[in-house]
């Protein structure tokens, strides 16, 4: 093999690069490699990851702060097509009795997605398919009945005296695959002969046969259980994959939800900005007419008013596009009317040191556990490949007995009268020398290389997990600092706008100062809202990447929103009606 590789390298490249595939790790399969259900480290029940704010909890919510324009602003200052975004709650006034408008907060959207999302259903079906494979492998080690029926015609010419007859054969039995290799078969046979001429006699006979074939070298031992062990462990891996998907699914839904809430706040801020700039245009027009400002200030104010209206329309368009994408993620009809309702959340900012967070991930990350268990799978494959190099040594045994041949047809008593003269038995040992094992040798070497790859893959997954946690901790630290900075910037922008308006009223400043202050406030509001949404998403990502995000039904509202079984039987949960749709409040 090495010679073939060197020849091909020389002919293909013109030189011989160094290519080696050595196995430097232990390839011995331990007892743990044969466990059908590998151990999964389960995180202890932590506090609730994310929950609705309770009115009786005396803490400040981390949820987005509302930045609406003044509710007393006359509607004639706002374009008619934009009034639906007033307060971020959809069209003004109550919904019509027959309205199909859906109002959902974060937990209601998660519950809806769990029941209707197409990718979620695909992941559920993977589990079902894995379970089917397990049921088949388990069935192969159970007694399996079989039954066959055959009919034939026997005849000849002069050399056999024109003997011809119809023969019917029935066999019924059961076979049992042995755990460590081989099979036992027990069957009962009934043969009936119907003569077609005088040269052949009618008759019937019955018999019982018991046979066993047991390998003693190749194919013997735990290698025979490999399909069952493989299917059982694959089911565990798929269960872990489903849970990993569910956790990422929650983070993805929450990220889109927070993005939509942030976009709603941007629209509200731009509506306020537009109304203020329109009011500024009217004020500068009045000051110009009073001779306190030049017409340039009026033009500047009006131009910024037009720009603000354009930015508002673009923000609305962006929101509607994001909302359509969100509906697709939820599995909802994209033409359905959906109002995303803001909810104030109690989210605990992680306080673990980086080393402790990495330790949590090393212990509880499900994908890391699966990658580690796959090393044991490859060690088991190496042991199976080594078994394939052994010679075939099989033990075969057969025992048969029955009634005498050619009993009278229709005489059941004679047919089932056992005749000791018909009893036969045999035992045989057969050795097949391993003179040709090229395919088996290649499979064994391939298993050694696969083991090395599994080792490297585990190291890669481990390093990626560590990198994810380190990035999450840094991102949360930066997001916290950004949130504090944006809050101070927002306070400063509000004071700056108040001062600019006061100076404008006194004629000590022009419209440019107010316009700049309005723009600075808009940027500060967007930055602060974005920082809050980013912090909330990062916390969920941190919990997911450390393997501590709990979404079982006991983990608060988030867990109940993920409880698919409760949703399918239409059990009411918090915030949802009995039919699984958001309840009216």
């Amino acid at each position: 093999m090495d010679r073939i590789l060197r020849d091909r390298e020389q002919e293909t490249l013109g030189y011989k690069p160094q290519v080696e595939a050595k196995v430097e790790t232990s390839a011995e399969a331990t007892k743990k490699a044969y466990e059908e259900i590998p151990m999964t480290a389960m995180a202890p029940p932590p506090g609730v990851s994310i929950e609705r704010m309770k009115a009786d909890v005396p803490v400040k919510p981390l949820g987005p702060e509302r930045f609406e324009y003044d509710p007393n602003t006359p509607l004639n200052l706002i374009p008619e097509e934009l009034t639906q975004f007033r307060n971020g709650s959809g069209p003004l006034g109550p919904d019509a009795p027959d309205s199909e408008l859906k109002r959902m907060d974060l937990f209601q959207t998660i519950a809806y997605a769990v029941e209707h999302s197409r990718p979620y259903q695909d992941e559920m079906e993977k589990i079902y398919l894995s379970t089917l494979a397990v049921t088949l492998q388990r069935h192969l080690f159970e007694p399996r009945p079989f039954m066959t029926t055959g009919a034939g015609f026997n005849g000849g010419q002069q050399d056999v005296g024109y003997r011809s007859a119809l023969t019917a054969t029935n066999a019924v039995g059961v076979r049992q695959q042995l755990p460590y290799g081989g099979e036992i078969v027990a069957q009962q046979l009934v043969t009936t002969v119907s003569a077609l001429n005088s040269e052949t006699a009618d008759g019937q006979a019955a018999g019982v046969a018991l046979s066993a074939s047991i390998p003693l070298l190749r194919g013997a031992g735990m290698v025979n259980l490999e399909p069952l062990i493989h299917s059982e462990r694959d089911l565990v891996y798929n269960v872990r994959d489903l849970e990993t998907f569910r956790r990422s699914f929650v983070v993805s839904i929450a990220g889109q939800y927070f993005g939509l809430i942030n976009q709603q706040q941007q629209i509200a801020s731009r509506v306020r900005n537009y109304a203020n700039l329109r009011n500024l245009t009217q004020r500068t027009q009045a000051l110009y007419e009073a001779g306190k400002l030049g017409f340039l200030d009026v033009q500047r104010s009006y131009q910024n008013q037009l720009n603000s209206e354009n930015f508002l329309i673009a923000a609305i368009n962006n929101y509607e596009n994001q909302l359509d994408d969100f509906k697709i993620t939820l599995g909802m009809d994209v033409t359905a009317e959906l109002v995303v309702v803001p909810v104030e959340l109690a989210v605990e900012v992680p306080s673990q040191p980086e080393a402790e967070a990495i330790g949590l991930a090393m212990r509880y990350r499900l994908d890391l556990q699966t990658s580690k268990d796959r090393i044991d799978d490859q060690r088991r494959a190496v042991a199976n490949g080594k078994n394939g190099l052994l010679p075939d040594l099989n033990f075969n045994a057969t025992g048969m007995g029955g009634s005498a041949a050619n009993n009278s047809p229709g005489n059941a008593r004679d047919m089932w009268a056992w005749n000791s003269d018909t009893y036969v038995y045999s035992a045989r040992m057969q050795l097949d020398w391993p003179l040709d094992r090229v395919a088996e040798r290649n499979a064994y070497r391939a298993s050694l290389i696969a083991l090395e790859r599994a080792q490297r893959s585990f190291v890669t997954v481990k390093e990626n997990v560590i990198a994810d946690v380190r990035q999450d901790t840094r991102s949360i630290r930066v997001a916290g600092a950004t949130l504090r900075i944006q809050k101070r910037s927002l306070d400063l922008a509000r004071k700056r706008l108040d001062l600019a308006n006061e100076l404008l009223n006194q004629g000590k400043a022009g419209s440019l100062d107010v316009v700049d202050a309005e723009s600075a406030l808009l940027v500060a509001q967007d930055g602060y809202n974005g920082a809050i949404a980013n912090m909330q998403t990062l916390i969920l990502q941190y919990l997911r990447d450390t393997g501590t995000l709990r979404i079982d039904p006991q983990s608060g509202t988030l867990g109940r929103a993920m409880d698919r079984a409760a949703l399918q039987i239409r059990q009411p949960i918090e915030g949802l009606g009995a039919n699984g749709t958001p309840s009216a409040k």
Side-chain angles (χ1 to χ4, degrees):
M1 187 171 63
D2 293 337
R3 179 179 57 81
I4 295 175
L5 180 59
R6 288 194 298 270
D7 290 344
R8 294 300 181 271
E9 289 172 346
Q10 183 65 38
E11 294 178 2
T12 305
L13 304 175
Y15 70 101
K16 300 177 181 178
Q18 296 179 354
V19 179
E20 294 180 316
K22 295 181 179 180
V23 178
E24 300 178 354
T25 57
S26 173
E28 294 297 326
T30 62
K31 183 179 180 180
K32 187 165 71 77
Y34 292 97
E35 293 178 352
E36 293 183 355
I37 303 179
M39 185 188 70
T40 301
M42 299 183 183
V48 176
S49 302
I50 179 172
E51 187 64 277
R52 283 191 179 93
M53 285 295 299
K54 303 297 190 300
D56 56 349
V57 178
V59 294
K60 184 177 180 181
L62 185 62
E65 183 176 347
R66 311 258 43 95
F67 293 113
E68 274 79 36
Y69 54 89
D70 185 355
N72 298 321
T73 301
L75 288 179
N76 61 0
L77 295 183
I78 305 173
E80 181 179 354
E81 66 273 15
L82 306 182
T83 57
Q84 60 177 314
F85 293 96
R86 187 183 184 94
N87 297 323
S89 58
L92 297 176
D95 299 332
D98 58 346
S99 173
E100 296 183 359
L101 189 68
K102 295 182 175 64
R103 298 180 182 274
M104 296 186 184
D105 64 14
L106 172 61
F107 303 103
Q108 293 164 348
T109 56
I110 291 175
Y112 188 94
V114 166
E115 192 174 9
H116 298 90
S117 171
R118 288 172 284 274
Y120 197 98
Q121 183 64 34
D122 291 342
E123 293 297 322
M124 295 289 294
E125 290 171 348
K126 289 182 182 179
I127 293 291
Y128 183 78
L129 295 176
S130 298
T131 306
L132 291 180
V134 172
T135 59
L136 173 60
Q137 293 302 324
R138 290 182 179 180
H139 173 69
L140 294 179
F141 288 95
E142 298 172 350
R144 308 193 311 277
F146 64 90
M147 182 175 181
T148 60
T149 300
F153 170 77
N154 298 319
Q157 298 301 319
Q158 293 182 357
D159 57 336
V160 293
Y162 295 95
R163 292 191 297 272
S164 58
L166 294 176
T167 303
T169 303
N170 289 284
V172 61
V174 62
R175 55 170 50 92
Q176 171 74 59
Q177 184 174 341
L178 302 178
Y180 297 107
E183 186 179 54
I184 296 178
V185 179
Q187 60 179 328
Q188 184 181 77
L189 302 95
V190 177
T191 303
T192 302
V193 178
S194 177
L196 298 181
N197 55 42
S198 58
E199 298 296 329
T200 305
D202 294 339
Q204 58 186 9
V208 173
L210 180 65
S211 62
S213 177
I214 302 175
L216 302 179
L217 291 178
R218 190 164 77 148
M222 296 299 293
V223 64
N224 187 63
L225 293 172
E226 175 59 26
L228 175 61
I229 296 174
H230 182 78
S231 65
E232 294 274 7
R233 291 172 72 95
D234 267 356
L235 178 57
V236 173
Y237 300 157
N238 284 323
V239 169
R240 290 174 180 169
D241 291 344
L242 175 61
E243 182 64 13
T244 300
F245 170 82
R246 293 174 74 236
R247 295 174 183 180
S248 297
F249 185 73
V250 166
V251 175
S252 175
I253 295 292
Q256 289 184 267
Y257 171 85
F258 293 138
L260 287 170
I261 296 302
N262 183 36
Q263 192 68 25
Q264 284 183 4
Q265 293 168 337
Q266 289 187 19
I267 291 173
S269 298
R270 280 155 177 75
V271 168
R272 183 204 57 79
N273 179 261
Y274 172 79
N276 287 347
L277 289 176
R278 184 164 183 172
N279 180 267
L280 177 63
T281 301
Q282 295 174 351
R283 290 165 57 198
T284 54
Q285 179 69 31
L287 291 172
Y288 165 72
E289 292 174 356
K292 294 184 178 181
L293 291 177
F295 191 69
L296 181 62
D297 289 292
V298 178
Q299 293 176 320
R300 181 184 297 115
S301 299
Y302 185 60
Q303 184 175 16
N304 281 278
Q305 172 191 329
L306 295 177
N307 290 336
S308 176
E309 183 177 2
N310 184 62
F311 293 152
L312 176 57
I313 294 173
I316 293 174
N317 179 69
N318 188 33
Y319 175 81
E320 292 176 341
N321 291 337
Q322 291 184 28
L323 188 61
D324 285 345
D325 293 338
F326 190 53
K327 293 175 188 176
I328 295 174
T329 302
L330 299 181
M332 183 183 295
D333 183 359
V334 75
T335 61
E337 295 293 333
L338 172 64
V339 173
V340 179
V341 180
V343 58
E344 292 184 341
L345 302 174
V347 183
E348 182 179 354
V349 179
S351 58
Q352 294 96 341
E354 181 179 289
E356 183 178 343
I358 292 175
L360 291 173
M362 292 295 99
R363 183 179 178 90
Y364 301 126
R365 274 286 291 264
L366 296 178
D367 53 343
L368 185 63
Q369 296 180 47
T370 297
S371 181
K372 184 177 181 180
D373 288 335
R374 290 195 184 279
I375 296 176
D376 288 330
D377 292 342
Q378 291 305 323
R379 288 197 177 108
R380 201 172 62 250
V382 170
N384 295 339
K386 187 182 297 185
N387 179 272
L389 300 175
L390 298 175
D392 286 306
L393 179 60
N394 298 323
F395 172 76
N396 300 295
T398 304
M400 298 182 62
S403 63
N406 299 326
N407 290 309
S408 301
N411 190 341
R413 182 176 181 180
D414 292 340
M415 183 179 66
W416 296 106
W418 301 112
N419 188 339
S420 60
D421 294 339
T422 63
Y423 295 172
V424 294
Y425 48 86
S426 65
R428 178 184 178 87
M429 295 280 289
Q430 181 172 336
L431 176 64
D432 183 2
W433 294 97
L435 302 181
D436 182 8
R437 287 289 188 268
V438 175
E440 292 78 3
R441 180 207 64 187
N442 291 349
Y444 174 64
R445 292 184 178 179
S447 67
L448 291 174
I449 295 175
L451 174 59
E452 282 291 310
R453 289 182 173 179
Q455 294 272 22
R456 294 194 298 269
S457 177
F458 171 73
V459 174
T460 300
V461 173
K462 177 182 176 181
E463 295 301 325
N464 286 333
V465 167
I466 295 175
D468 289 343
V469 175
R470 285 167 56 87
Q471 180 178 346
D472 290 340
T473 54
R474 288 194 297 264
S475 298
I476 289 176
R477 185 168 59 250
V478 172
T482 301
L483 189 58
R484 292 189 295 270
I485 294 172
Q486 292 295 337
K487 182 65 171 66
R488 292 197 298 267
S489 176
L490 179 59
D491 294 338
L492 179 61
R494 286 172 172 169
K495 295 176 181 178
R496 178 183 173 186
L497 179 60
D498 292 340
L499 179 59
N501 280 315
E502 183 64 26
L503 292 176
L504 179 66
N505 293 335
Q506 297 177 6
K508 297 179 180 180
S511 62
L512 179 60
D513 298 306
V514 179
V515 168
D516 289 344
E518 283 283 355
S519 299
L521 178 59
L522 186 63
V523 171
Q525 288 174 340
D526 289 346
Y528 182 68
N529 294 334
I532 291 177
N534 184 50
M535 173 65 84
Q536 292 171 323
T537 304
L538 286 175
I539 291 174
L540 290 179
Q541 289 179 356
Y542 170 87
L543 296 174
R544 178 198 63 190
D545 292 342
T546 55
T548 56
L549 178 61
R550 292 292 295 270
I551 52 178
D552 56 87
Q554 287 73 39
S555 61
T557 305
L558 178 61
R560 292 191 292 275
M562 292 292 294
D563 191 355
R564 183 180 175 87
L567 293 170
Q568 288 179 329
I569 61 177
R570 295 299 192 266
Q571 288 286 343
I573 67 172
E574 182 179 349
L576 294 183
N579 62 348
T581 59
S583 59
K585 294 186 179 179

